[in-house]
């Protein structure tokens, strides 16, 4: 399921490679097109596996040469890897043919049907496909959690590390916890990308924080709509008792939407949508 950018990310392609001209073999061009940046640092692999704490079925987007694949299997997972690059898929399938813990499928992770049984996702994913992979994970009913090695900036944005929160995180918050894991430096990849990565942890909550998905989405999407420049101005267009709800949630009257913590949104929902 790895749009094979196996163990790599679009943004991982080095500027020098983008700007240089001839001399590339077909494999060089394929690697550039697929933005393959392989995880070669064993310590970085161990960090991902430790964060994933794999057990049961684990889907891996873009296993590439299999560094993380074998580590996940050794840690107790049954790994299903999706690899778009036919050469890499064939090589990894040949290496794992006699290993009952690992199956390799040539295909696009985001086009795959989610398993019916509970499963997790773990992988070093391509920057350009990050949003699509995350969206796929959030839509999968059987997903227990995802451990994704992404561009560090993306992981920081989604986990509020900049002091701001995104619509994707807030909208999914009642069902999923988002956390920022360890940083993995660019030197852990070959070819070496231009930016660092970080481990993004998304975990399904045992019980949702809200009981009505539709009313939650309507509230959050209205708040992020930006009418009037503040959460208060946006919500007052549809809801009564907004000022009291803001006080209960500890949200300033002039707060902009990105500064409202997801847990504060839960309080707003409890006050305005019940």
């Amino acid at each position: 399921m790895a749009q094979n950018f196996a163990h790599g990310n679009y943004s991982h392609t080095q500027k020098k490679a983008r700007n240089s001209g001839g001399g590339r073999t077909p494999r060089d061009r394929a690697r550039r097109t697929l933005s393959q940046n392989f995880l070669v640092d064993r310590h970085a692999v161990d960090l991902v596996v430790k964060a994933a704490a794999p057990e049961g079925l684990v889907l891996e987007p873009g296993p590439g040469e299999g560094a993380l694949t074998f580590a996940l299997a050794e840690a107790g997972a049954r790994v299903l890897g999706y690899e778009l690059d036919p050469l890499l898929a064939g090589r990894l399938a040949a290496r794992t043919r006699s290993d009952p813990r690992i199956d390799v499928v040539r295909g696009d992770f985001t086009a795959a049907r989610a398993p019916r049984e509970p499963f997790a996702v773990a992988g070093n994913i391509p920057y350009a496909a990050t949003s699509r992979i995350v969206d796929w994970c959030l839509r999968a009913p059987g997903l227990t959690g995802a451990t994704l090695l992404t561009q560090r900036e993306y992981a920081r944005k989604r986990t509020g590390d900049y002091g701001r929160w995104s619509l994707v995180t807030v909208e999914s918050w009642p069902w999923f916890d988002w956390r920022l894991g360890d940083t993995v430096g660019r030197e852990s990849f070959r070819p070496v990308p231009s930016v660092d990565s970080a481990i993004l942890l998304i975990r399904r909550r045992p019980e949702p924080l809200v009981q009505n998905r539709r009313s939650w989405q309507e509230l959050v999407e209205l708040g992020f709509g930006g009418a009037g420049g503040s959460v208060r101005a946006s919500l007052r267009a549809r809801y009564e008792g907004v000022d009291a709800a803001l006080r209960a949630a500890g949200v300033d009257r002039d707060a902009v939407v990105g500064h409202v913590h997801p847990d504060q949104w839960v309080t707003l929902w409890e006050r305005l949508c019940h």
Side-chain angles (χ1 to χ4, degrees):
M1 284 175 164
Q3 275 305 149
N4 186 139
F5 322 126
H7 265 100
N9 308 295
Y10 278 89
S11 297
H12 276 174
T13 305
Q14 299 179 77
K15 291 181 180 179
K16 181 177 179 181
R18 289 199 300 264
N19 296 331
S20 60
R24 294 195 185 94
T25 66
R27 285 304 301 165
D28 290 335
R29 288 191 290 271
R31 181 172 295 166
R32 180 186 179 193
T33 300
L34 299 172
S35 191
Q36 295 167 338
N37 295 82
F38 301 97
L39 195 56
V40 297
D41 177 20
R42 180 65 202 197
H43 177 64
V45 171
D46 290 343
L47 287 176
V48 177
V49 173
K50 181 180 179 180
E55 60 180 6
L57 178 61
V58 176
L59 274 56
E60 182 187 4
E65 296 179 335
L68 183 58
T69 311
F70 287 104
L72 289 168
E74 290 165 5
R78 180 162 50 94
V79 185
L80 180 59
Y82 286 80
E83 179 56 68
L84 196 60
D85 185 321
L87 180 60
L88 290 175
R91 286 177 177 173
L92 188 57
R95 291 175 63 197
T96 60
R97 188 167 290 121
S98 61
D99 192 333
R101 307 169 302 175
I102 300 171
D103 287 304
V104 179
V105 176
R106 182 190 170 192
D108 179 351
F109 174 81
T110 61
R113 181 175 298 177
R116 293 185 177 180
E117 66 181 283
F119 70 96
V121 172
N124 168 36
I125 64 176
Y127 290 166
T130 298
S131 293
R132 291 190 292 115
I133 290 173
V134 168
D135 288 346
W136 187 98
C137 290
L138 296 178
R139 291 196 307 268
L143 180 85
T144 58
T147 305
L148 307 174
L149 192 54
T150 74
Q151 184 179 9
R152 186 167 182 265
E153 181 183 6
Y154 178 91
R156 293 187 66 193
K157 284 181 178 179
R158 290 290 179 259
T159 56
D161 198 51
Y162 288 117
R164 296 180 63 90
W165 296 90
S166 70
L167 173 60
V168 171
T169 305
V170 174
E171 201 163 35
S172 61
W173 190 259
W175 297 271
F176 293 96
D177 178 52
W178 296 68
R179 299 203 178 178
L180 178 65
D182 290 306
T183 294
V184 175
R186 66 197 76 183
E187 67 280 356
S188 296
F189 303 87
R190 294 294 182 275
V192 179
S194 59
V195 295
D196 292 332
S197 294
I199 299 171
L200 172 64
L201 300 98
I202 306 172
R203 298 291 183 266
R204 187 180 294 277
R205 301 184 188 280
E207 295 292 335
L209 301 179
V210 304
Q211 290 71 49
N212 188 307
R213 185 183 295 267
R214 181 173 179 178
S215 64
W216 170 263
Q217 290 178 331
E218 289 175 349
L219 174 74
V220 172
E221 289 173 3
L222 179 63
F224 273 83
S230 69
V231 173
R232 178 175 182 268
S234 296
L235 297 184
R236 279 166 60 91
R238 182 181 304 175
Y239 300 96
E240 296 182 358
V242 170
D243 287 345
L246 291 172
R247 286 194 297 273
V251 178
D252 293 338
R253 285 167 57 93
D254 59 350
V256 296
V257 66
H259 291 160
V260 180
H261 191 283
D263 286 335
Q264 293 176 307
W265 278 104
V266 174
T267 301
L268 292 175
W269 178 84
E270 291 171 346
R271 293 300 182 113
L272 299 174
C273 300
H274 273 192

